[in-house]
Amino acid sequence: MRGLTDSGRGTLQAAFTAVAVLAALALFVSACATGGTGARDEGPAHAEAVAGAAATPTITPSPSRTTRVDAVKLVKDDPAVSAEVKQELKPCVADEYPVDVSYGDLTGGADDDVVVNVLTCGDAVGVGSYVYREEDGRYENVFQAEAPPVYAEIDRGDLVVTKQVYEKGDPVSSPSGENVITYRWASDHFTEEYRTHNDYSNAVGGDASSPS
């Protein structure tokens, strides 16, 4: 190597450089052909991580306001309910009691209010209607109507009570009309908002007599 001239040294260095470049190029091509382990491999793994992070979150449903109650026990244990109504509150068939129960927001409390209608077994005539409001874990009687026939319902946040009207001689199945009274909760009690009266037609379902 001592005998090499300056031009010889330059030629040798150029050859070494060319060999190094060719070796690096061959290594790069080989890595690409076999799939490599470079930055391209990180793509799918990163996508999977993002997909896992973007999974649909668990949605917790909001709790219901309605707490189901034992309406029969509620009425039977209520000292404000008359003895006559409690006497009617007995099973009609097996353990089926003649009660209709509705839940809804009438008084603006934390839980739904409970409307209970007690009926007769034979004719399903309403003998008592009651509204119970939850207060500190207990249900308080805030409305009652015990002049039969009577029936209470919840209508768009109002309490609507229907009382059928009978004239002398009317059978139980055919009242002459009805009074519909709407109550609204205000200042911790129900107040009457308005009422309507409906007369029923006597001709419907009756036998028409031919004129003589």
Side-chain angles (χ1 to χ4, degrees):
M1 299 297 291
R2 284 182 172 180
L4 291 177
T5 63
D6 291 339
S7 60
R9 293 192 185 95
T11 302
L12 186 61
Q13 290 176 352
F16 285 162
T17 301
V19 171
V21 169
L22 289 175
L25 181 61
L27 180 63
F28 176 78
V29 171
S30 175
C32 291
T34 58
T37 57
R40 290 178 60 186
D41 288 347
E42 296 299 323
H46 180 67
E48 289 172 2
V50 172
T56 303
T58 302
I59 299 176
T60 303
S62 58
S64 173
R65 281 173 42 92
T66 303
T67 301
R68 301 297 177 183
V69 301
D70 184 343
V72 173
K73 186 176 187 304
L74 202 60
V75 172
K76 284 187 173 183
D77 292 346
D78 186 354
V81 177
S82 67
E84 291 77 13
V85 171
K86 290 182 179 180
Q87 186 175 358
E88 291 286 348
L89 191 54
K90 55 188 176 183
C92 297
V93 178
D95 59 349
E96 296 293 329
Y97 284 83
V99 293
D100 287 347
V101 186
S102 301
Y103 299 86
D105 185 10
L106 287 170
T107 67
D111 207 346
D112 277 341
D113 302 298
V114 185
V115 177
V116 183
N117 288 287
V118 180
L119 315 172
T120 60
C121 286
D123 302 311
V125 173
V127 296
S129 298
Y130 310 90
V131 178
Y132 292 94
R133 183 177 193 267
E134 190 275 333
E135 194 72 43
D136 297 329
R138 300 179 58 187
Y139 284 90
E140 177 186 357
N141 183 335
V142 292
F143 178 90
Q144 70 180 54
E146 294 183 330
V150 62
Y151 198 89
E153 299 174 283
I154 301 172
D155 184 10
R156 291 169 292 184
D158 290 334
L159 176 66
V160 179
V161 178
T162 302
K163 296 183 178 181
Q164 293 179 323
V165 178
Y166 288 87
E167 300 293 344
K168 185 177 181 180
D170 287 344
V172 173
S173 59
S174 301
S176 294
E178 66 179 10
N179 292 322
V180 181
I181 310 168
T182 300
Y183 296 90
R184 188 164 296 166
W185 183 260
S187 302
D188 296 331
H189 66 280
F190 284 102
T191 58
E192 181 178 330
E193 288 293 304
Y194 47 85
R195 67 171 59 205
T196 59
H197 175 80
N198 301 314
D199 284 325
Y200 299 151
S201 173
N202 293 328
V204 177
D207 295 328
S209 300
S210 302
S212 54

